[in-house]
Amino acid sequence: AGFAFFFFLFRIVVCPILWWQLCQVMWAERNSETYQSCFPPALLPFFVLAGVFFNALNSFWFYKIVRKIQRKLSGDEDIKAENHLTEADKAMDEQEKKEK
């Protein structure tokens, strides 16, 4: 639950706010001589698109985290479910141990 809280706090609340503030500053300064001498013209649109993409990705992952917590709390999944490896995974693990 701590992971979900801090994921929400930083990736859903703080990071988008900081990203938006930086977008606003970049937009306001885009015509200044200092900005134009330091950054390529494509940086602002790239930064906006990348921010939208990564904020959407963080929202998707937060949704997945919340769904997982709901399944655990509702009893649909065990709290400490074991990680059952397939036979192929077991064989790969044994091969890696032999190589070491």
Side-chain angles (χ1 to χ4, degrees), residues 60-75:
F60 170 74
W61 280 113
F62 183 67
Y63 167 77
K64 300 290 272 182
I65 291 167
V66 168
R67 293 288 299 146
K68 184 73 161 180
I69 291 171
Q70 287 175 338
R71 285 194 305 270
K72 297 278 187 182
L73 292 177
S74 70

Side-chain angles (χ1 to χ4, degrees), residues 81-93:
E82 292 184 26
N83 184 9
H84 297 288
L85 297 176
T86 64
E87 292 301 319
D89 292 332
K90 288 179 186 176
M92 190 178 291
D93 286 345

Side-chain angles (χ1 to χ4, degrees), residues 25-40:
V25 170
M26 289 174 74
W27 181 259
E29 297 295 323
R30 74 188 183 284
N31 293 324
S32 73
E33 186 177 323
T34 305
Y35 180 90
Q36 291 178 356
S37 66
C38 291
F39 303 116

